[in-house]
Amino acid sequence: MTELFSVGDPIADTKAPDGPVETRWDRRRFSAKLVNPANKRKLSVIVVGTGLAGGSAAATLGELGYRVRSYCYQDSPRRAHSIAAQGGINAAKNYRNDGDSVHRLFYDTVKGGDFRSRESNVHRLAQVSVEIIDQCVAQGVPFAREYGGLLDTRSFGGAQVSRTFYARGQTGQQLLLGAYQALERQVAAGTVEMFTRHEMLELIVVDGRARGIVVRDMVTGEISTDLADAVVLASGGYGNVFFLSTNAKGCNVTATWRAHRKGALFANPCYTQIHPTCIPVSGDHQSKLTLMSESLRNDGRVWVPKKAGDDRAAADIPEDERDYYLERIYPAFGNLVPRDIASRAAKNVCDEGRGVGPGGLGVYLDFADAIGRLGRKAVEAKYGNLFEMYERITGEDPYTVPMRIYPAVHYTMGGLWVDYDLQSTVPGLFVIGEANFSDHGANRLGASALMQGLADGYFVLPNTIGDYLAAGPFERLAADNPEVAAARTAVEDRIAKLLAVNGDRTVDSFHRELGRIMWEYCGMERTDAGLRKAIDLIRGLREEFWQRVRVPGEGEGLNQALERAGRVADFFELAELMCVDALHRTESCGGHFRAESQTPEGEAERDDENFSYVAAWEFTGTGDAPVLHKEDLIFEYVHPTQRSYK
Ligand SMILES: Cc1cc2nc3c(=O)[nH]c(=O)nc-3n(C[C@H](O)[C@H](O)[C@H](O)COP(=O)(O)OP(=O)(O)OC[C@H]3O[C@@H](n4cnc5c(N)ncnc54)[C@H](O)[C@@H]3O)c2cc1C
């Protein structure tokens, strides 16, 4: 295996404070250097991304007085993928008085991540969670309320308390509108300049510091450079490497991959979250999959027929011939086990021939009990828009026929390596939200991505970036600076190269094939032989891509095939690294299930002695063996045990 990678020096998070975990964030904030208000006006920050992480960060940095330039590829910051988030956002408010606390959220998250995240980061996240809700309520985010007017909560997987705040099935949209309003306020105030329909295609590094980006105006095709004192990437996750996923079609890895190629280490790329409740794949025509929010598992019961091959309609299968397998195997958490566990359990029953629907790749999510107990109106009030969406897509009415669901790629826990300050290994390059690897270990708990994105953007980054910027403003760079010019030329050359191939295969056909390889060999279950095969297939397909891809049109103007071609080219390189990471981690943990490492009951078996580390990968060249740097994980408060939800 060593020919596929080499092992370099270990890496340490030098910004992480020690001492009692409860006081670490306070102490880091106190020790971080401050920038006085007059100096902030002299400092500029580029923020790539306007989702919950980037939107909240740009708004907050603008409010602090920095000169911010904010970028997104959509036509409005409001269209960032965060808008798709349905179910909710966690916070340890304990409004329900059901035993929740900052410590419990911290505990649940470290355990839920299968002991592959940092205690310091996760504790900070749990602490900050309570401030997020206050911030959003003050902005006017319309969280659901109980009859008496108090904020309502519901339960999500991996927790036995009810700590998820929500706005029907549109939580991301409502939170994003809050962040967007804060952002627009700063745009009006002149502290934030907004660039929509601009795609970052390269990071500019000068004298070892991140100093800017190269962007393409997606409407005119113009390539330009933007220089600043620091760069923040909030560019989201890379689940679309699988082609089919619940992510918005535009989600891609280019911003972080370009930074990786310029020296930023990429951490735990193989940790992918496969969400258990998605509408099953229905044929080759599909280009994306649809999530049915995890919140549905509060009231929906998951089952399959007890007998393999039973193809009767759900209504014809009597109660005693149904297997509510999550309730049976995991009585303590039942339908609310974490996503990795629920997904694997669904795969297992389908592998046994007990799946339902076309191809046997589905399980039921049944609301009959909830409707009988609470009444249709109450169920409609909680989940109405999700039920409507399901009916529109499948043509079946989930109020009368159980939903059919199956796991699908949903979220990526891996991302650029960052220290406690959210700074990557390239000084001046900060990474926030789903784009970094920071808080979720090998499996993210439901409703914790929105929490992390807003924690990073509203609270963490605005406090930590000052420590770096206090040494600025940095030397003014001339437009003809060699490193700046080289970055720009590299982008122009790459675009010219893509256009020049002029082959006979569409970009999408390559992407679809890459996705199939990834799903087959680096999806829900991975094996040594499968991953090796995947690496060979990816390499072959990547070569073919550069010989046969057809990108019609030209670079000067709107060209969506060109946009996609650049993104798919980066996906090829990422895919290979994901497989190498998955191959080297011979244990199972969270979303990474190695078939060779399971307990006799078929549960994931970790190998703490050998793999209790963050795998941070260094780029050495396309197709060349990457270098692995290990960051040891230390657990002082939540001691690794075999996760049990029984
Ligand atoms: C269907 C669905 C439902 C979900 N529901 C929930 C939920 O209920 N609760 C929860 O906690 N999480 C949920 N998640 C996960 C959560 O929505 C995401 O993890 C989170 O919104 C990511 O936010 P972000 O700000 O990091 O990135 P995004 O919202 O993905 O934003 C990325 C931004 O970066 C910009 N960008 C990217 N690349 C470039 C580039 N090269 N140049 C310029 N701009 C660029 C984009 O334009 C965009 O503005 C859900 C995810 C999905 C797919």
Side-chain angles (χ1 to χ4, degrees):
M1 198 196 310
T2 42
E3 78 280 10
L4 288 172
F5 71 95
S6 64
V7 180
D9 293 337
I11 181 171
D13 178 3
T14 53
K15 305 279 179 38
D18 50 16
V21 74
E22 301 82 11
T23 62
R24 285 180 194 169
W25 177 224
D26 276 352
R27 280 183 293 115
R28 176 61 193 138
R29 270 189 295 179
F30 187 69
S31 68
K33 291 186 202 98
L34 295 177
V35 181
N36 87 46
N39 286 347
K40 285 194 182 114
R41 286 194 287 276
K42 298 181 199 146
L43 291 159
S44 55
V45 182
I46 290 169
V47 180
V48 179
T50 59
L52 285 177
S56 59
T60 312
L61 294 174
E63 177 118 28
L64 282 170
Y66 294 109
R67 286 188 291 117
V68 179
R69 291 193 294 282
S70 162
Y71 286 86
C72 69
Y73 58 69
Q74 289 93 349
D75 57 356
S76 159
R78 245 180 9 240
R79 288 190 201 275
H81 162 63
S82 291
I83 202 166
Q86 302 170 346
I89 175 165
N90 287 329
K93 283 283 199 186
N94 195 28
Y95 284 165
R96 294 266 180 166
N97 210 10
D98 56 359
D100 202 8
S101 62
V102 165
H103 194 81
R104 191 175 292 281
L105 176 52
F106 160 63
Y107 173 90
D108 286 348
T109 308
V110 173
K111 176 182 166 192
D114 217 355
F115 305 94
R116 291 293 172 264
S117 49
R118 293 177 184 147
E119 285 192 333
S120 298
N121 285 56
V122 177
H123 198 279
R124 173 175 68 188
L125 180 65
Q127 281 173 295
V128 168
S129 72
V130 295
E131 296 171 50
I132 296 172
I133 301 302
D134 297 344
Q135 166 96 359
C136 296
V137 169
Q139 286 173 341
V141 171
F143 284 121
R145 288 177 187 267
E146 293 179 319
Y147 180 72
L150 299 175
L151 295 190
D152 197 11
T153 51
R154 54 190 176 197
S155 304
F156 260 58
Q160 287 170 309
V161 295
S162 179
R163 64 159 76 98
T164 306
F165 294 78
Y166 65 100
R168 239 174 148 209
Q170 310 171 337
T171 316
Q173 180 174 356
Q174 299 306 332
L175 292 170
L176 191 61
L177 287 173
Y180 169 73
Q181 288 171 67
L183 181 64
E184 287 302 306
R185 191 172 150 251
Q186 295 307 317
V187 171
T191 58
V192 176
E193 214 179 327
M194 186 72 232
F195 298 88
T196 59
R197 305 294 275 134
H198 279 72
E199 183 163 18
M200 167 193 163
L201 295 177
E202 197 53 273
L203 179 74
I204 298 174
V205 180
V206 180
D207 296 333
R209 289 179 193 274
R211 291 302 309 273
I213 58 177
V214 183
V215 289
R216 178 172 179 271
D217 180 324
M218 295 158 77
V219 179
T220 66
E222 189 194 349
I223 308 291
S224 58
T225 53
D226 189 6
L227 302 171
D229 292 296
V231 177
V232 178
L233 295 185
S235 51
Y238 52 83
N240 278 348
V241 64
F242 290 86
F243 187 72
L244 286 182
S245 87
T246 63
N247 290 7
K249 278 297 287 173
C251 293
N252 68 88
V253 77
T254 289
T256 47
W257 192 257
R258 294 281 119 195
H260 174 55
R261 292 175 60 104
K262 283 283 175 83
L265 300 189
F266 208 112
N268 300 332
C270 80
Y271 289 169
T272 311
Q273 177 156 88
I274 316 272
H275 196 297
T277 58
C278 303
I279 299 180
V281 176
S282 61
D284 277 349
H285 59 284
Q286 279 175 297
S287 57
K288 110 171 261 319
L289 298 174
T290 307
L291 174 77
M292 287 286 102
S293 166
E294 176 161 314
S295 59
L296 295 169
R297 285 198 275 144
N298 270 270
D299 289 307
R301 297 181 68 197
V302 178
W303 65 274
V304 288
K306 279 188 178 160
K307 217 171 50 207
D310 187 340
D311 58 3
R312 287 174 293 175
D316 297 334
I317 302 181
E319 201 54 35
D320 64 347
E321 291 180 42
R322 299 177 176 192
D323 181 12
Y324 294 90
Y325 59 89
L326 289 178
E327 297 170 31
R328 173 174 57 80
I329 309 173
Y330 307 103
F333 282 69
N335 294 295
L336 285 173
V337 288
R339 292 175 177 176
D340 54 335
I341 305 236
S343 292
R344 260 198 314 280
K347 180 179 186 300
N348 291 343
V349 294
C350 291
D351 288 351
E352 288 160 21
R354 297 195 289 139
V356 299
L361 289 179
V363 301
Y364 287 127
L365 180 63
D366 195 338
F367 292 86
D369 273 9
I371 293 171
R373 193 174 69 248
L374 307 166
R376 178 178 166 136
K377 267 212 145 69
V379 171
E380 204 174 317
K382 278 189 184 171
Y383 312 116
N385 67 317
L386 300 172
F387 276 47
E388 196 186 313
M389 188 160 79
Y390 181 86
E391 185 172 3
R392 269 201 231 142
I393 293 173
T394 63
E396 291 172 3
D397 171 16
Y399 291 102
T400 53
V401 182
M403 284 183 181
R404 280 177 299 108
I405 51 162
Y406 195 68
V409 172
H410 178 63
Y411 179 90
T412 43
M413 280 76 68
L416 289 185
W417 185 92
V418 286
D419 62 16
Y420 189 73
D421 282 1
L422 304 180
Q423 185 166 209
S424 73
T425 44
V426 176
L429 179 70
F430 292 77
V431 192
I432 61 177
E434 193 174 337
N436 73 25
F437 89 105
S438 67
D439 295 351
H440 308 293
N443 173 57
R444 173 176 70 79
L445 290 183
S448 286
L450 304 186
M451 172 172 71
Q452 184 222 327
L454 290 181
D456 288 359
Y458 281 134
F459 298 102
V460 180
L461 179 83
N463 278 288
T464 56
I465 199 170
D467 191 66
Y468 175 78
L469 288 173
F474 300 107
E475 183 201 350
R476 262 184 94 85
L477 299 173
D480 61 354
N481 173 289
E483 271 121 328
V484 178
R488 186 193 165 116
T489 307
V491 168
E492 287 164 349
D493 290 351
R494 193 154 181 268
I495 289 175
K497 191 173 164 195
L498 283 167
L499 289 165
V501 179
N502 203 18
D504 58 359
R505 264 191 83 171
T506 63
V507 176
D508 266 17
S509 79
F510 279 105
H511 193 180
R512 198 181 280 276
E513 192 173 336
L514 175 67
R516 276 201 205 108
I517 297 169
M518 292 303 284
W519 179 247
E520 181 73 24
Y521 302 110
C522 196
M524 264 198 284
E525 189 172 304
R526 296 127 185 224
T527 62
D528 183 279
L531 289 162
R532 287 178 191 280
K533 181 165 179 191
I535 292 168
D536 282 346
L537 291 171
I538 293 164
R539 286 180 175 173
L541 195 62
R542 187 179 67 226
E543 251 173 58
E544 192 184 331
F545 174 87
W546 284 105
Q547 279 156 20
R548 286 188 57 193
V549 71
R550 177 162 172 73
V551 184
E554 48 196 35
E556 295 80 29
L558 182 70
N559 187 340
Q560 292 190 318
L562 178 62
E563 290 161 22
R564 283 204 289 269
R567 295 169 190 173
V568 171
D570 289 334
F571 275 142
F572 273 119
E573 297 185 6
L574 165 78
E576 186 173 330
L577 184 66
M578 288 172 75
C579 292
V580 171
D581 186 37
L583 184 62
H584 106 282
R585 193 170 278 277
T586 54
E587 65 164 353
S588 290
C589 58
H592 168 64
F593 189 74
R594 275 295 290 260
E596 301 92 344
S597 180
Q598 50 183 308
T599 64
E601 301 91 52
E603 301 286 353
E605 189 161 37
R606 286 197 324 269
D607 175 357
D608 290 335
E609 207 174 303
N610 293 305
F611 288 100
S612 194
Y613 61 78
V614 174
W617 296 92
E618 180 187 339
F619 182 81
T620 52
T622 305
D624 292 345
V627 180
L628 170 64
H629 300 273
K630 299 180 186 176
E631 178 199 334
D632 281 337
L633 292 167
I634 294 153
F635 296 93
E636 296 169 83
Y637 295 87
V638 189
H639 297 289
T641 50
Q642 205 214 319
R643 272 194 313 163
S644 169
Y645 293 94
K646 296 188 170 170

